Amino acid sequence: MPRVCLMLLAAASLLALPLMSQAPTPHAPQTQVTVLNTHDGGVTEVLQSIVVPPKAGAPFTLTLETEWVKQLYEGGTTTFVNKRRIARDADGRIYQERWALVPKNNPRVQSVMNMIQISDPLAHTRHDCFMRQETNLCELVNFTRTTSTIYKPMSPATGPIPGDQGSAIHQDLGKRLIQGVETEGTHDILIYNQGVFGNDRKITVENEFWWSPQLGLNLLSTKTDPRIGKQTFTVTVIVPGDPDPSLFQIPAGFEVVDRRQTGLPQ
């Protein structure tokens, strides 16, 4: 009889276990989960435009048109364009507008100005003023170029490129008037050997530019490079003489943040 009682008690305790595990528990607070789609790869490219030096005594206002043709991996090309204003006063101060590149011949996409740069070689400052939706901000940075330096494009001599990288061919194209300004033409061909850039065959890069000794900059410049495509910079309008002085003032409503570094040459 005692054995039967023990068996019944054991059975009762086993039945009680699942009943205890089903006791209600408080609900944990639910956390909202955000899902972001990610993509690997890709590249961000920034086109380098013409060099505008702080040359004193040669003021102007001009319009520069840019065209960038890039080869597609599977064939064909894409072409991007923009147009922007550049000015320089007699003291060598430089005003430049930066406009977004947009697809050529696509009326649905309009270029917008996204930055103004004001460079002062006497104060050694440059203001980069960004047009942003949340705030209009000018970053103040160092500007180390001076009016006492002559800035001129460098061309390689015909012959081997140092470091056994390949060979160069230099050609002088003579003189040419562009927008009524005399320029000197140069055509350089650079042939790089296999393996210099990880390339499996030779690469040919061509640079042609028409430089104005009077203004100290290129009025027409073309760079053809299979790695980046073909870039053409053309001055379409040029007005000699001092530009509007207001161009060199910080735009109204812009906050200035000083990001200059100390210890740089003045």
Side-chain angles (χ1 to χ4, degrees):
M1 189 69 173
R3 181 179 295 178
V4 174
C5 291
L6 289 173
M7 294 177 64
L8 291 173
L9 287 171
S13 63
L14 290 173
L15 291 173
L17 287 175
L19 293 175
M20 293 175 60
S21 65
Q22 295 174 10
T25 57
H27 292 288
Q30 294 185 352
T31 303
Q32 186 175 1
V33 177
T34 302
V35 178
L36 294 177
N37 294 323
T38 61
H39 300 278
D40 295 337
V43 65
T44 300
E45 297 177 301
V46 178
L47 180 144
Q48 302 297 325
S49 188
I50 66 170
V51 176
V52 182
K55 180 179 174 68
F60 64 81
T61 303
L62 63 79
T63 300
L64 179 71
E65 297 191 12
T66 298
E67 181 177 87
W68 186 7
V69 182
K70 297 195 291 183
Q71 290 287 143
L72 298 177
Y73 179 74
E74 296 180 342
T77 62
T78 58
T79 303
F80 296 89
V81 296
N82 74 0
K83 181 188 299 186
R84 65 193 185 96
R85 180 170 52 160
I86 303 173
R88 186 177 64 199
D89 68 6
D91 293 328
R93 293 186 300 173
I94 304 166
Y95 168 90
Q96 296 195 68
E97 297 174 353
R98 303 290 183 177
W99 289 69
L101 288 161
V102 294
K104 187 176 182 179
N105 297 325
N106 186 346
R108 293 176 295 178
V109 183
Q110 299 296 321
S111 179
V112 295
M113 185 167 61
N114 49 37
M115 183 169 66
I116 291 174
Q117 289 182 307
I118 303 172
S119 304
D120 189 334
L122 302 180
H124 306 290
T125 60
R126 189 185 78 215
H127 286 85
D128 295 339
C129 301
F130 301 91
M131 283 68 174
R132 297 169 176 164
Q133 290 184 350
E134 61 275 11
T135 180
N136 290 327
L137 179 70
C138 290
E139 294 186 352
L140 174 59
V141 298
N142 301 88
F143 185 73
T144 58
R145 293 180 177 176
T146 67
T147 57
S148 60
T149 302
I150 297 176
Y151 299 89
K152 187 176 181 180
M154 179 180 295
S155 291
T158 298
I161 300 175
D164 194 30
Q165 296 185 76
S167 60
I169 302 173
H170 171 75
Q171 299 174 296
D172 291 322
L173 302 179
K175 297 183 179 182
R176 171 183 174 186
L177 285 177
I178 297 179
Q179 299 298 320
V181 179
E182 185 176 272
T183 62
E184 301 172 353
T186 300
H187 185 210
D188 296 320
I189 302 174
L190 305 173
I191 304 171
Y192 292 100
N193 292 333
Q194 177 182 344
V196 173
F197 308 108
N199 47 306
D200 62 357
R201 67 193 69 183
K202 288 187 176 183
I203 288 180
T204 299
V205 176
E206 295 189 49
N207 298 315
E208 181 176 316
F209 51 88
W210 294 84
W211 183 72
S212 165
Q214 174 188 343
L215 301 177
L217 51 80
N218 294 325
L219 300 190
L220 175 61
S221 180
T222 303
K223 184 179 188 68
T224 305
D225 187 327
R227 296 166 297 175
I228 61 173
K230 182 178 181 181
Q231 299 174 345
T232 304
F233 307 97
T234 307
V235 172
T236 57
V237 176
I238 185 164
V239 179
D242 267 316
D244 184 349
S246 65
L247 294 177
F248 304 97
Q249 304 298 317
I250 303 301
F254 277 71
E255 176 188 355
V256 178
V257 177
D258 193 338
R259 303 196 187 281
R260 284 176 292 181
Q261 301 178 28
T262 60
L264 294 181
Q266 298 294 317

